[in-house]
Structure formats: C-alpha cells, structure tokens
C-alpha cells in the first residue's frame, strides 16, 4: 500500500495534560479521533478522552545517559482509526542531563491523504503550533526511505520532502535568505514565524519517481547538513554526524 508520513519534532514538554487534551481535540476536529489506543500494538483499549490523556501523560523511566545510566522520565502512546485509516505515534522524554527531541508521527495511506488533504495539512500546522515544534515534514515513504541514513535529528537532517517545516532554530541555521531563495513550489509563513516550504504540487508524483528536486534543495541549503547516501549504502550501521544545529531545550526539569 502506498503510504505517507508526517512527523513533528519539538523540544517542548509534550507530557503536559493541557497539551494532550488539546491534541485530541485537534484530532476530533479534523476527523481523526482514534478508535483504539495503547502503548504498543496490538491496540486493545477503546478510546476515551480521559483514558487517552492519562496514557499520554503517564510517566515511566526511559532516559539513558552515557556514564549516568537511566535517569529522568519518558512516555508515549499510539492511537488509530480504521475509517479514515490513520495512526499517530507519540514519544516524549524529560531528562535533566541531556536534550531529547520529542516527536509525533502521523501515518496514513495515500487514499486518506487524497480524501482528507486539507484536514491533514491543518492538523500538521495546528500540531506544530500546539507543540512549539522546531522542525517537521510530510512525505511519501519512497523519498523518505531514499534519503534515510543512520542517525537522528541531532546528527543529520533527514532530507527534503514534499512539505518541510522550518522553525526558528532551523531558519537561523540555514538562514531565512537561503531558505526563501530556493524555487519551492509554494512557501507559507506561519504566525509563529516558521516557514512551510513545499517541494512539488503533489507528494506521490514526481517526488516518488525522481530525486532531482530533493537533491537540488539539499545542494542549495547545504549538502553537509544531510546524510551521505553512498556512505550509508556502504555501511548502514555507521552513525553519520553532519553539520546540524545544536538543539537546546527550554523544558523546565
């Protein structure tokens, strides 16, 4: 099945109850309210707002720091619905010794995207605002897999995709002038000062067939920020540390 992914990264505190409540209200408003929830598959619990918020905010041990061991707290959950077919994954960490990047993933088939395109893009932008996101993207899995190298947002940029959100840290890193001077298909400025840059009109057409546009964008922004695909093919297990911004959290521990 042809599938897509939207990912939102934040350094903010996701585990806050108000964030959880507002997130589930966003899902409901955009017609993606989950039917089942759980911490792992298979999901067995029927969705209720109270149950979902409790699961979202539940704390467990989960931050590993070299030389210290387990410290801090972590949490996460999954929610999904069959019609429209849609799933979210959320994970957060709160660590006193290390900055962790929290994230929310949205998974959906291309048929869901075609029917609910406006809803998905609205949910993406509203979640960026809710979570004070630093970076995010929406993509078909083909260009996602094609650009993948071993690492995290702290070691390399994951690529350039159909829709790319640059928050203030990344605007400062790449520079606003450089981001805006690339011939994107479309650019939007968000109220928070972030930039939404679209590489093509559709995520499942030319961007699936060819890597030309993504390579042009990476060359323009600076190839040294993105993973080296040939190096990855030669040694998939090697951690690539590229030229990326040092991420600093504003969380109160």
């Amino acid at each position: 099945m042809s599938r897509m992914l939207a990912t939102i990264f934040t350094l903010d505190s996701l585990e806050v109850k108000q964030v959880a409540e507002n997130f589930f209200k966003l899902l409901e408003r955009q017609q993606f309210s989950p039917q089942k929830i759980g911490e792992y598959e298979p999901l067995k619990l029927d969705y209720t707002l109270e149950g979902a918020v409790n699961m979202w905010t539940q704390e467990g041990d989960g931050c590993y720091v070299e030389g210290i061991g387990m410290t801090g707290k972590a949490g996460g959950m999954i929610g999904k619905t069959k019609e429209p077919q849609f799933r979210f994954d959320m994970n957060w960490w709160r660590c006193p010794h290390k900055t962790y990047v929290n994230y929310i993933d949205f998974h959906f088939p291309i048929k869901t995207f075609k029917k609910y395109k406006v809803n998905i893009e609205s949910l993406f932008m509203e979640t960026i605002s809710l979570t004070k996101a630093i970076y995010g993207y929406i993509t078909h899995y083909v260009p996602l897999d094609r650009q993948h190298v071993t690492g995290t947002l702290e070691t390399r940029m994951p690529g350039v995709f159909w829709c790319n959100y640059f928050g203030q840290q990344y605007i400062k890193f790449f520079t606003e002038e450089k981001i805006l001077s690339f011939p994107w298909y479309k650019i939007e400025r968000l109220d928070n000062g972030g930039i939404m840059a679209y590489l093509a009109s559709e995520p499942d057409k030319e961007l699936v067939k060819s890597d030309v546009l993504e390579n042009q964008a990476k060359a323009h922004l600076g190839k040294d920020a993105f993973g080296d695909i040939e190096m990855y093919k030669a040694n998939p297990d090697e951690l690539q540390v590229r030229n990326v911004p040092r991420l600093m959290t504003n969380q109160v521990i």
Side-chain angles (χ1 to χ4, degrees):
M1 182 185 294
S2 185
R3 299 192 64 82
M4 293 185 62
L5 171 72
T7 298
I8 295 164
F9 299 95
T10 180
L11 301 176
D12 216 51
S13 301
L14 281 185
E15 73 274 21
V16 177
K17 182 179 180 181
Q18 190 64 52
V19 172
E21 291 176 346
N22 287 339
F23 176 76
F24 288 109
K25 290 175 183 177
L26 289 181
L27 289 180
E28 182 178 356
R29 186 161 67 245
Q30 299 300 342
Q31 302 182 55
F32 298 123
S33 189
Q35 296 167 331
K36 294 287 186 179
I37 58 173
E39 295 180 35
Y40 48 83
E41 293 278 13
L43 308 185
K44 297 180 179 180
L45 295 178
D46 291 333
Y47 169 78
T48 65
L49 178 59
E50 181 180 5
V53 170
N54 287 340
M55 185 176 293
W56 179 292
T57 56
Q58 182 175 328
E59 297 183 344
D61 296 329
C63 300
Y64 178 80
V65 179
E66 192 73 33
I68 297 177
M70 297 302 294
T71 182
K73 298 295 180 181
M77 67 175 295
I78 304 167
K80 65 182 179 182
T81 179
K82 290 185 177 180
E83 187 54 46
Q85 193 173 343
F86 182 91
R87 164 178 165 156
F88 77 84
D89 294 67
M90 180 280 297
N91 279 278
W92 62 261
W93 293 265
R94 188 176 71 247
C95 180
H97 305 287
K98 184 179 184 297
T99 296
Y100 273 84
V101 181
N102 304 323
Y103 71 86
I104 300 174
D105 287 339
F106 300 134
H107 304 266
F108 43 91
I110 196 70
K111 66 177 183 179
T112 297
F113 177 78
K114 296 290 187 183
K115 186 175 181 179
Y116 295 91
K117 182 175 184 290
V118 173
N119 305 69
I120 288 171
E121 289 189 73
S122 295
L123 177 63
F124 182 68
M125 287 188 280
E126 289 172 333
T127 305
I128 283 171
S129 177
L130 173 66
T131 63
K132 301 177 183 176
I134 57 171
Y135 172 70
Y137 55 81
I138 307 175
T139 182
H140 190 283
Y141 263 93
V142 168
L144 178 69
D145 292 341
R146 186 170 61 213
Q147 297 179 79
H148 172 76
V149 304
T150 302
T152 68
L153 198 61
E154 296 167 274
T155 60
R156 88 288 186 260
M157 295 296 293
V160 181
F161 307 103
W162 173 67
C163 174
N164 308 269
Y165 170 71
F166 300 101
Q168 292 298 327
Q169 292 192 53
Y170 288 91
I171 294 173
K172 182 178 180 180
F173 176 73
F174 288 116
T175 77
E176 183 172 323
E177 180 182 4
K178 182 165 282 190
I179 293 173
L180 296 179
S181 62
F182 183 76
W184 303 98
Y185 171 77
K186 182 175 68 171
I187 285 181
E188 293 183 23
R189 300 299 299 261
L190 302 189
D191 291 341
N192 66 1
I195 297 173
M196 198 85 76
Y198 292 78
L199 197 53
S201 60
E202 298 293 338
D204 61 330
K205 300 293 191 275
E206 58 196 300
L207 297 181
V208 169
K209 297 176 182 177
S210 170
D211 62 1
V212 170
L213 288 176
E214 67 197 39
N215 285 336
Q216 288 175 347
K218 286 190 281 190
H220 179 84
L221 293 172
K223 288 184 68 174
D224 61 347
F226 300 89
D228 186 313
I229 305 302
E230 296 307 314
M231 187 184 298
Y232 173 75
K233 290 178 180 178
N235 187 358
D237 295 326
E238 182 179 352
L239 178 66
Q240 295 190 23
V241 180
R242 310 292 283 174
N243 180 28
V244 293
R246 185 182 179 208
L247 303 178
M248 301 296 291
T249 182
N250 293 319
Q251 288 188 35
V252 177
I253 306 300

